[in-house]
């Protein structure tokens, strides 16, 4: 049994790359911090009520030998005065009775399990993963609904709180099984989580479900009623019929949940080409040595690939042509994959080679792994005249219309339109993970600072708006802000990715997610119009 994310697996791992070691240790320190959940006081109160924590519930639910791939563990970090570890919800994928399920577990020790923007994003992202891969979804509910001070940022818009329930209806129509286990509060809109699930379970004298709690009822109608009488376990199991099973405690509820999963039909899986796995030639920890801190520098993706793939065997495609992109086939834990990795700035031929390779993978039904370290497309008159925008469009088109799964790993920088071409979040990779040194932004800190400093200086010269700051001061200020806002921590805090991972865990995580993507048949490839 593995209690939490894969990131934890290599917590003892050391790097010979001192700058990266600092980042790695910082990542693990943050990771350990959020694993504890809310405050000690909140935890003590939670336990005094006979409840398991969110992560203990997941451990109890999963098969004893199941991994648990936790997603976005560092969500909300550095925001809200760090009062929302993991954004108050644990999401991830693990196995119940040998089949993968998506789990969304509220952490009631974090502000009563209430939802801020990042909690919603995590919940909806977990549902997206369930939809993309046709995975059953299990909601372990213990939440006070919306975190009221944030209501204007989490309630009214399309992908706000309401999206969770509309997704539930759509998922049900797609025949994706959903189970809710009500293990605490389940208030207001949250009441729809069990009500819209295929089957629901409630823990006696502990779980409650109501559209409006006792204080609201009193204010609205004058009626005085307790939690239990309004919407406790006995009420919903015996009177309202909103739940289907009444459990004695958390462990019993999770046992019932496992029994329900055993009744699900088998998945209609994609047949893929997988053979017996062979180990890479070098230890996974060696990947630390290839994590560059200055993400405007090249990353040695040949060496990284060698350390990720079975027996270090890589069959390149167009090895002699357009060398700033590496394309080729390999196996990862026995799964056949197409790998696309950056090896410098993008020229027209780079884009054409990548688009060609992506088409091959789609026609051959081979999933793709993108290793991103890209500063963007080449600029200048010569390249514009040659039609770099047309070639870039081909690549972006190929990525956007791909129907085989894409897994993106940001090993270095992911900047500008390069992010699109290399399957950034807007291009729906099935999963996207960042190494701790990774950066993501419209451009690098140095470049942005240079551009903005020039604009500010020109403006100051032509107006009375003399800010009195030297060029160097302006440059440093802008650079510091861009560097901060493009860091992996900043990204993962806002759920722009599925989590930061230790490079040493990359192969293991790829193996799991490649397996997950076969849970559903892949669609036929139907590209649109390529500009030639
Ligand atoms: N909005 C903002 N903060 C909330 C909240 C909400 N909806 N619900 C709980 N909190 C905060 C509490 O203020 C408290 O904050 P603190 O740790 O800074 O003191 C923390 O969450 C824990 O709440 P508390 O009531 O002390 O814990 P509890 O475990 O006894 O009860 C709830 C948890 C969720 C059952 C209870 O707080 C509750 O009923 N909240 C209101 C739920 C509601 O009406 N939601 C409607 C919104 S859609």
């Amino acid at each position: 049994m593995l209690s939490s994310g894969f990131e934890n697996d290599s917590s003892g791992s050391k790097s010979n790359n001192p700058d990266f070691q600092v980042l790695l240790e910082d990542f693990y320190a943050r990771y350990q911090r959020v694993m504890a959940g809310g405050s000690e006081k909140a935890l003590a109160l939670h336990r005094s009520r006979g409840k398991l924590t969110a992560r203990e519930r997941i451990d109890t639910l999963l098969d004893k030998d199941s991994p648990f791939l936790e997603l976005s563990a560092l969500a909300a970090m550095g925001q809200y005065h760090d009062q929302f570890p993991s954004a108050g919800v644990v999401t991830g994928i693990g196995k119940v009775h040998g089949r993968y399920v998506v789990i969304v577990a509220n952490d009631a020790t974090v502000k009563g399990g209430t939802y801020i923007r990042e909690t919603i994003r995590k919940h909806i992202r977990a549902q997206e993963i369930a939809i993309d891969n046709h995975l059953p979804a299990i909601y372990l509910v213990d939440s006070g609904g919306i975190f009221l001070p944030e209501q204007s940022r989490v309630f009214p818009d399309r992908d706000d709180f309401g999206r969770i329930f509309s997704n539930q209806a759509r998922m049900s129509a797609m025949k994706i099984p959903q189970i809710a286990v009500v293990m605490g509060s389940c208030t207001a809109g949250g009441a729809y989580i069990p009500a819209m699930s295929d089957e629901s379970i409630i823990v006696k004298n502990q779980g409650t479900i109501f559209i409006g709690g006792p204080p609201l009822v009193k204010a609205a109608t004058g009626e005085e009623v307790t939690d239990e009488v309004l919407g406790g376990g006995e009420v919903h199991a015996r009177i309202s019929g909103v739940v289907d099973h009444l459990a004695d405690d958390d462990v019993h509820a999770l046992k019932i949940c496992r029994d329900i999963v055993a009744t699900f039909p088998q998945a209609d899986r994609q047949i893929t080409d997988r053979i017996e796995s062979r180990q890479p030639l070098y230890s996974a920890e060696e990947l630390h040595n290839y994590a560059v801190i200055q993400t405007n520098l090249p990353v040695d993706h040949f060496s990284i690939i060698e350390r990720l793939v079975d027996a270090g065997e890589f069959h390149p495609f167009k090895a002699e042509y357009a060398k700033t992109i590496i394309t080729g086939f390999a196996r990862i834990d026995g799964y056949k994959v197409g790998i696309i990795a950056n090896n410098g700035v993008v020229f027209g031929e780079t884009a054409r080679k990548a688009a060609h390779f992506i088409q091959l993978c789609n026609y051959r039904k081979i999933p793709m792994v993108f290793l991103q370290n890209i500063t963007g497309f080449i600029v200048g008159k010569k390249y514009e005249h040659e039609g770099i925008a047309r070639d870039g469009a081909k690549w972006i088109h190929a990525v956007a219309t791909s129907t085989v799964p894409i897994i993106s790993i940001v090993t270095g920088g992911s900047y500008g339109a390069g992010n699109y071409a290399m399957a950034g979040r807007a291009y729906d990779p099935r999963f996207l993970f960042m190494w701790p040194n990774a950066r993501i932004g419209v451009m690098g800190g140095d470049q942005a600072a240079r551009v903005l400093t020039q604009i500010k200086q020109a403006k100051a010269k032509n107006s009375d708006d003399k800010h009195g700051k030297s060029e160097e001061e302006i440059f440093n200020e802008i650079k510091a802000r861009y560097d901060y806002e493009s860091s992996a921590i900043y990204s993962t805090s806002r759920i722009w990715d599925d989590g930061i991972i230790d490079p040493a865990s990359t192969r293991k995580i790829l193996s799991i997610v490649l397996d997950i993507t076969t849970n559903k048949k892949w669609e036929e490839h139907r590209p649109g119009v390529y500009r030639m």
Side-chain angles (χ1 to χ4, degrees):
M1 180 171 61
L2 190 70
S3 60
S4 41
F6 278 91
E7 296 87 341
N8 232 3
D9 260 13
S10 321
S11 50
S13 78
K14 286 272 176 285
S15 151
N16 291 327
N17 176 352
D19 291 338
F20 180 70
Q21 180 68 26
V22 172
L23 277 182
L24 192 64
E25 280 173 12
D26 175 68
F27 161 62
Y28 277 119
R30 290 171 189 269
Y31 190 82
Q32 291 305 338
R33 251 192 343 261
V34 301
M35 285 301 122
S39 67
E40 277 180 26
K41 194 170 141 224
L43 187 63
L45 180 67
H46 189 82
R47 288 204 188 287
S48 75
R49 292 168 168 166
K51 292 175 166 186
L52 299 175
T53 65
R55 289 186 174 85
E56 287 166 351
R57 285 170 176 166
I58 293 171
D59 270 355
T60 311
L61 175 65
L62 295 179
D63 295 345
K64 293 294 165 232
D65 59 351
S66 167
F68 179 56
L69 177 63
E70 183 167 341
L71 303 166
S72 300
L74 302 188
M77 179 154 277
Q79 302 186 74
Y80 312 96
H81 307 287
D82 278 325
Q83 289 183 98
F84 286 88
S86 301
V89 68
V90 183
T91 59
I93 304 164
K95 280 187 174 178
V96 176
H97 287 300
R99 58 182 300 163
Y100 284 113
V101 296
V102 164
I103 300 169
V104 178
N106 303 117
D107 185 347
T109 68
V110 178
K111 296 283 178 197
T114 52
Y115 281 68
I116 50 171
R117 175 179 285 234
E118 288 70 16
T119 325
I120 295 168
R121 284 185 74 102
K122 273 183 79 165
H123 197 130
I124 290 176
R125 175 70 190 134
Q127 290 179 317
E128 277 169 12
I129 291 171
I131 292 169
D132 289 347
N133 303 287
H134 203 86
L135 297 177
I138 297 175
Y139 309 108
L140 306 181
V141 189
D142 196 344
S143 162
I146 284 174
F147 181 71
L148 293 169
E150 288 286 314
Q151 73 88 20
S152 67
R153 298 179 73 230
V154 299
F155 176 65
D157 208 352
R158 196 192 77 154
D159 288 330
D160 283 348
F161 200 51
R163 192 78 193 178
I164 293 172
F165 321 116
S166 89
N167 274 348
Q168 279 192 265
R170 285 195 198 103
M171 288 162 69
S172 182
M174 293 170 193
K175 297 195 169 51
I176 294 174
Q178 296 172 87
I179 304 175
V181 190
V182 181
M183 312 176 95
S185 186
C186 189
T187 307
Y192 292 116
I193 293 180
M196 300 194 70
S197 292
D198 295 349
E199 275 188 67
S200 54
I201 305 153
I202 193 164
V203 180
K204 214 185 261 182
N205 301 320
Q206 182 176 307
T208 54
I209 305 172
F210 26 66
I211 297 291
L216 185 66
V217 173
K218 173 100 170 66
T221 66
E223 186 184 17
E224 290 200 31
V225 62
T226 63
D227 283 4
E228 209 51 41
V229 171
L230 184 65
E234 301 277 349
V235 166
H236 288 303
R238 298 188 204 285
I239 302 174
S240 75
V242 172
V243 300
D244 310 302
H245 307 270
L246 188 60
D248 298 331
D249 55 22
D250 280 9
V251 173
H252 184 211
L254 295 164
K255 159 87 174 60
I256 297 172
C257 182
R258 285 180 56 82
D259 292 346
I260 295 172
V261 173
T263 70
F264 292 168
Q266 285 303 321
D268 188 14
R269 295 176 73 89
Q270 172 70 34
I271 311 267
T272 49
D273 181 347
R274 189 186 185 195
I275 58 171
E276 202 174 318
S277 173
R278 286 167 303 157
Q279 285 303 308
L281 299 181
Y282 305 97
S283 86
E285 277 69 27
E286 283 198 19
L287 285 167
H288 294 154
N289 303 335
Y290 299 94
V292 298
I293 305 300
Q294 271 179 289
T295 47
N296 54 346
L297 295 180
V299 165
D300 180 358
H301 270 143
F302 281 113
S303 297
I304 290 176
I305 291 169
E306 213 179 355
R307 281 153 184 80
L308 288 178
V309 304
D310 290 13
E313 283 174 10
F314 180 65
H315 305 282
F317 169 76
K318 273 184 175 320
E320 303 305 321
Y321 180 80
K323 292 189 174 183
T324 62
I325 192 85
I326 302 166
T327 50
F329 300 101
R331 290 192 182 267
I332 293 180
D333 200 16
Y335 292 98
K336 190 189 280 174
V337 292
I339 297 179
I340 303 190
N342 302 112
N343 193 31
V345 74
V346 174
F347 297 94
E349 63 268 25
T350 322
R352 293 194 297 272
K353 171 174 161 182
H356 184 168
F357 184 71
I358 292 166
Q359 276 201 308
L360 288 184
C361 289
N362 274 282
Y363 279 91
R364 294 178 193 173
K365 290 240 163 126
I366 299 173
M368 291 181 279
V369 175
F370 281 57
L371 300 175
Q372 292 194 32
N373 176 52
I374 181 156
T375 49
F377 287 67
I378 189 86
V379 295
K381 193 171 83 181
K382 173 177 180 319
Y383 303 105
E384 298 296 349
H385 289 195
E386 283 173 7
I388 181 77
R390 178 193 54 218
D391 290 327
K394 285 196 194 81
W395 185 358
I396 289 174
H397 187 116
V399 174
T401 58
S402 278
T403 48
V404 293
I406 298 177
I407 322 293
S408 273
I409 309 282
V410 189
T411 60
S414 176
Y415 295 115
N419 167 272
Y420 311 150
M422 286 300 286
R425 197 65 139 175
Y427 290 79
D428 296 321
R430 294 284 179 101
F431 294 91
L432 188 152
F433 297 103
M434 311 268 286
W435 282 7
N437 56 309
R439 291 192 170 276
I440 187 161
V442 69
M443 56 177 86
D446 264 340
Q447 273 170 307
R450 252 180 274 138
V451 172
L452 285 170
T453 308
Q454 272 174 23
I455 296 171
K456 287 203 174 198
Q457 288 292 344
K459 214 171 156 192
K461 220 181 272 172
N462 298 332
S463 76
D464 297 333
D465 174 27
K466 304 276 186 252
H467 42 64
K469 285 185 183 164
S470 72
E471 198 169 315
E472 195 186 350
E473 277 172 322
I474 300 173
F475 179 90
N476 288 339
E477 260 175 33
I478 297 168
K479 181 172 163 12
R481 188 161 68 83
Y482 262 75
D483 284 348
Y484 167 64
E485 290 180 356
S486 63
S487 68
I489 290 290
Y490 193 91
S491 164
T492 212
S493 172
R494 286 156 185 80
I495 341 285
W496 296 344
D497 53 62
D498 292 314
I500 300 179
I501 59 169
D502 182 338
S505 306
T506 308
R507 179 179 149 92
K508 199 184 289 182
I509 289 172
L510 282 171
S511 162
I512 297 256
V513 296
L514 285 166
D515 194 17
I516 288 169
T517 64
T518 63
N519 200 58
K520 178 183 172 183
K521 285 216 158 65
W522 307 335
E523 285 171 29
E524 288 305 316
H525 182 48
R526 269 203 303 274
V529 176
Y530 279 87
R531 180 172 294 278
M532 293 302 182

